[in-house]
């Protein structure tokens, strides 16, 4: 069946346009012109050359949506009479094969569509792109299925390293639903709120990290299919509600097994139900080749590791700090850093780090980490270790949290699984990394002026350095950037490290 009979009259896309059209006797494979009015002759020529090109914009250029809706209107009765789901019926009527793209058990029967089958036919390019999307979605879900299995082993190996590197003081409980969501949406390495703003539109190329994050396509499709989104993170037979980080490496296997079951169920729904299929393809997201299995596995592993790092930091009361319009290395070089040595002034390393700061050169923002339990904890070594071991990247840890907070209109965004919407067309931003971000007050000097957007810490600039009470001095967090660092008034009498007379941090760093 093309859709659940009970949903035929109510099935809509995000624009409230009926997805299942009325039955018609007009066959789009025998007539009709399907081209986007404002597409150029060059775009039309390239998109019609299906043997050479599979471009995302071709879905729009060739008006495949119009063709597909007309195809369903003409063939719906035939498919219903044969009791066939949409994908299998389309392939059966278009190429006459017994292709089974509706489940993984039939993957061997779901082969890449042969361009020769569609050449020389009326609207053959449009039919090809529908067939290509069917195959590509099936292939994408299967790659996803395999990738989460591979990521399970790789991420499990990283759990102990993450716990040891961050020196976690106590076991961290991870809600199983959150872990499922973290895995389920691990492809969307950037938030789905528009900050992976490289989802291309007509005539504009993919740029940046989102070009390598096919999960953004899944997330966008889910905006119109909230029930499927819920099903993808269903806990199924997992009895426990939480898992300890110490047991995470072993428990990941059963969490992954549940997710794989959910993925298998999802592909059946998408391929059988035209409304769901249309949600996935209407923007042409699956009209281009996906990443290979190794790349996808690496992305999923990296995303899952980043999620674990992000949640572990938050559990240990660690926040991200930032100084706007500040190049900390340049600050040290130009003599402005009067208060104390920053560890910078020698350039940035291969990760973009100097001292305990990471520098976003594009936006001129210096980021760091701060423990709200021990503000003098310096995270230089832990961050360098996480980056050098390939567990996460500065971009995923810092920028993902930044994007997430911006999308939420707050200092902190949502973790996976915490804000799934049940309303069609509504998606609450969820991010792999969502550590709280506080902005240093770089203009005003005083104990009340720690941040511009977060509450000050009670100990900020209140303690004297090196245990000395002979002179007025101020102890500030290790990642602090502001007047206590740059003001000549505090030259030599401000500190951000564990010095003589102050013992050592509780963490042992």
């Amino acid at each position: 069946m093309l859709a659940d009979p009970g949903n035929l009259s109510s099935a809509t896309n995000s624009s409230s346009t009926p997805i299942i059209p009325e039955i018609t006797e007009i066959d789009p494979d025998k007539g009709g012109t399907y081209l986007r009015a404002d597409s150029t002759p060059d775009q039309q020529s390239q998109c019609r050359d299906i043997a050479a090109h599979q471009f995302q914009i071709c879905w729009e250029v060739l008006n495949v949506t119009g063709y597909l809706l007309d195809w369903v209107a003409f063939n719906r009765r035939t498919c219903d009479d044969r009791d066939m789901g949409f994908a299998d019926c389309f392939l059966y009527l278009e190429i006459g094969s017994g292709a089974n793209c509706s489940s993984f058990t039939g993957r061997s029967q779901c082969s890449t569509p042969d361009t020769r089958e569609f050449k020389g036919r009326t609207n053959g390019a449009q039919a090809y792109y529908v067939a290509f999307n069917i195959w590509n979605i099936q292939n994408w879900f299967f790659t996803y299925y395999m990738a989460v299995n591979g990521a399970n082993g790789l991420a499990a190996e990283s759990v102990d390293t993450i716990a040891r590197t961050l020196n976690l003081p106590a076991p961290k409980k991870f809600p199983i639903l959150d872990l499922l969501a973290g895995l389920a949406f691990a492809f969307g390495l950037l938030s789905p709120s528009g900050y992976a703003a490289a989802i291309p539109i007509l005539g504009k190329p993919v740029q940046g990290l989102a070009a390598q994050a096919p999960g953004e396509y899944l997330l966008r499709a889910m905006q119109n299919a909230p029930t499927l989104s819920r099903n993808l993170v269903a806990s199924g037979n997992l009895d426990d509600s939480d898992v300890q980080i110490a047991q995470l490496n072993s428990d990941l296997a059963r969490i992954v097994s549940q997710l794989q079951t959910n993925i298998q169920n999802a592909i059946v729904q998408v391929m059988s139900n035209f409304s769901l299929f249309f949600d996935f393809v209407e923007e042409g997201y699956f009209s281009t080749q996906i990443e290979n299995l190794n790349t996808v596995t690496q992305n999923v592993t990296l995303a899952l590791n980043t999620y674990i790092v992000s949640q572990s930091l938050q559990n240990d009361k660690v926040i991200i700090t930032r100084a706007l319009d500040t190049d900390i290395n340049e600050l040290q070089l130009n003599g402005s850093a009067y208060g104390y040595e920053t560890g910078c002034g020698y350039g940035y390393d291969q990760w973009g780090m100097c001292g305990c700061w990471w520098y976003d050169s594009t936006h001129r923002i210096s980021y760091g980490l701060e423990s709200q339990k021990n503000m003098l904890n310096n995270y230089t070594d832990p961050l360098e270790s996480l980056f050098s071991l390939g567990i996460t990247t500065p971009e995923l840890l810092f920028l993902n949290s930044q994007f997430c907070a911006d999308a939420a209109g707050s200092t902190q965004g949502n973790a996976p699984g915490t804000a799934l919407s049940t309303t069609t067309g509504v998606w609450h931003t969820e991010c792999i990394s969502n550590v709280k971000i506080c902005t240093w007050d770089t203009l005003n000097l005083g104990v009340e002026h720690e941040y511009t957007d977060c509450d000050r810490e009670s100990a900020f600039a209140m303690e004297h350095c090196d245990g000395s009470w002979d002179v007025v001095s101020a102890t500030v967090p290790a990642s602090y950037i502001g007047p206590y660092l740059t003001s000549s008034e505090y030259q030599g009498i401000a500190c951000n490290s564990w010095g003589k007379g102050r013992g050592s941090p509780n963490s042992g760093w």
Side-chain angles (χ1 to χ4, degrees):
M1 303 291 288
L2 292 183
D4 184 336
N7 293 333
L8 292 184
S9 61
S10 60
T12 59
N13 64 13
S14 56
S15 301
S16 299
T17 302
I19 287 180
I20 305 295
E22 295 297 326
I23 293 175
T24 181
E25 301 302 322
I26 301 174
D27 185 354
D29 288 332
K30 293 183 178 179
T33 300
Y34 298 94
L35 290 171
R36 178 163 164 158
D38 60 351
S39 59
T40 66
D42 183 60
Q43 288 174 330
Q44 294 173 17
S45 175
Q46 289 192 58
C47 289
R48 281 171 168 156
D49 187 3
I50 57 178
H53 305 294
Q54 289 90 41
F55 294 138
Q56 186 167 334
I57 64 170
C58 289
W59 186 274
E60 296 183 60
V61 171
L62 298 173
N63 187 17
V64 182
T65 291
Y67 166 84
L68 181 55
L69 292 174
D70 287 349
W71 189 96
V72 171
F74 180 75
N75 292 289
R76 175 180 160 194
R77 186 186 294 115
T78 300
C79 293
D80 287 350
D81 289 346
R82 292 178 179 272
D83 195 26
M84 298 178 74
F86 164 73
D88 289 344
C89 187
F90 183 89
L91 295 174
Y92 177 80
L93 294 180
E94 289 296 318
I95 61 178
S97 71
N100 177 7
C101 293
S102 296
S103 69
F104 295 149
T105 56
R107 184 173 184 265
S108 61
Q109 302 171 45
C110 186
S111 56
T112 312
D114 187 342
T115 57
R116 294 172 297 182
E117 296 273 1
F118 300 89
K119 278 192 173 181
R121 291 170 41 178
T122 301
N123 296 321
Q126 285 81 355
Y128 168 80
Y129 267 97
V130 176
F132 183 84
N133 272 258
I134 291 172
W135 168 79
N136 208 20
I137 290 175
Q138 205 275 357
N139 186 41
W140 187 90
F141 268 96
F142 185 78
T143 302
Y144 181 13
Y145 177 93
M146 297 296 291
V148 295
N149 187 58
N152 163 42
L154 295 173
E157 294 173 2
S158 303
V159 170
D160 291 339
T161 302
I162 292 171
R164 185 173 60 254
T165 301
L166 296 178
N167 199 31
L168 297 178
K172 160 68 178 175
K173 284 187 176 182
F174 284 87
I176 280 181
L177 178 63
D178 289 5
L179 277 170
L180 269 169
L183 270 170
F185 303 132
F187 280 157
L189 296 182
L190 297 181
S191 98
S193 63
Y195 286 97
I199 294 302
I201 57 177
L202 185 64
K204 294 188 178 181
V206 177
Q207 296 177 345
L209 183 61
Q212 297 153 11
E216 190 76 12
Y217 304 169
L218 172 66
L219 292 166
R220 299 274 178 157
M222 290 298 186
Q223 291 178 5
N224 293 333
T227 301
L228 187 62
S229 176
R230 286 285 183 186
N231 291 344
L232 201 57
V233 296
S235 57
N237 295 323
L238 295 173
D239 296 328
D240 300 334
S241 59
D242 300 293
V243 60
Q244 298 280 0
I245 191 171
Q247 301 167 324
L248 186 55
N249 53 1
S250 59
D251 283 330
L252 270 177
R254 61 194 184 95
I255 295 171
V256 163
S257 177
Q258 178 63 50
L259 178 57
Q260 287 183 312
T261 298
N262 296 350
I263 294 171
Q264 284 181 306
N265 294 336
I267 189 63
V268 173
Q269 296 177 60
V270 171
M271 292 303 186
S272 299
N273 186 304
F274 174 71
S275 296
L276 284 176
F277 178 83
F278 191 82
D279 289 337
F280 273 73
V281 303
E282 66 174 319
E283 302 296 336
Y285 298 143
F286 291 91
S287 293
T288 189
Q289 294 282 357
I290 64 171
E291 300 282 355
N292 62 44
L293 177 59
N294 287 339
T295 299
V296 171
T297 301
Q298 291 170 6
N299 285 349
V300 174
T301 304
L302 191 60
L304 181 58
N305 284 340
T306 301
Y307 166 76
I308 295 172
V309 169
S310 170
Q311 297 305 307
S312 298
L313 287 171
Q314 293 175 66
N315 184 65
D316 203 26
K317 299 188 182 305
V318 175
I319 63 170
I320 291 174
T321 60
R322 65 174 186 168
L324 302 179
D325 195 26
T326 302
D327 178 340
I328 183 64
N329 186 67
E330 181 183 84
L331 192 68
Q332 183 69 63
L333 284 175
N334 68 16
S336 297
Y338 296 104
Y340 44 79
E341 286 297 320
T342 62
C344 294
Y346 309 99
Y348 293 100
D349 65 14
Q350 59 183 316
W351 316 116
M353 296 278 297
C354 82
C356 63
W357 292 276
W358 177 74
Y359 181 55
D360 173 11
S361 58
T362 301
H363 302 99
R364 284 187 54 84
I365 299 175
S366 293
Y367 289 94
L369 295 179
E370 180 191 343
S371 169
Q372 297 195 304
K373 295 192 302 184
N374 296 300
M375 68 178 183
L376 294 184
N377 282 0
N378 188 305
Y379 285 87
T380 302
D381 291 342
L383 286 173
E384 292 280 1
S385 294
L386 291 175
F387 301 152
S388 63
L389 292 171
I391 289 174
T392 187
T393 69
E395 292 79 8
L396 287 179
L397 180 61
F398 292 113
L399 291 190
N400 194 261
S401 289
Q402 181 69 70
F403 294 156
C404 203
D406 289 347
S410 177
T411 57
Q412 184 172 27
N414 299 310
T418 59
L420 288 175
S421 173
T422 57
T423 304
T424 300
V426 174
W427 184 272
H428 298 296
T429 301
E430 299 176 341
C431 310
I432 296 301
S433 178
N434 72 315
V435 183
K436 183 177 181 178
I437 296 182
C438 295
T439 306
W440 296 120
D441 187 335
T442 58
L443 299 177
N444 300 295
L445 180 67
V447 295
E448 298 297 325
H449 299 289
E450 183 176 16
Y451 303 114
T452 62
D453 49 8
C454 295
D455 294 335
R456 66 173 291 273
E457 298 168 277
S458 59
F460 175 71
M462 295 296 290
E463 297 184 36
H464 291 260
C465 299
D466 297 324
S468 170
W469 293 88
D470 296 333
V471 295
V472 176
S473 59
T475 300
V476 294
S479 62
Y480 172 76
I481 300 176
Y484 283 104
L485 167 65
T486 59
S487 172
S488 58
E489 294 180 42
Y490 274 80
Q491 185 173 2
I493 53 175
C495 54
N496 72 337
S497 62
W498 294 90
K500 181 180 179 182
R502 295 191 58 82
S504 61
N506 294 339
S507 64
W509 293 330

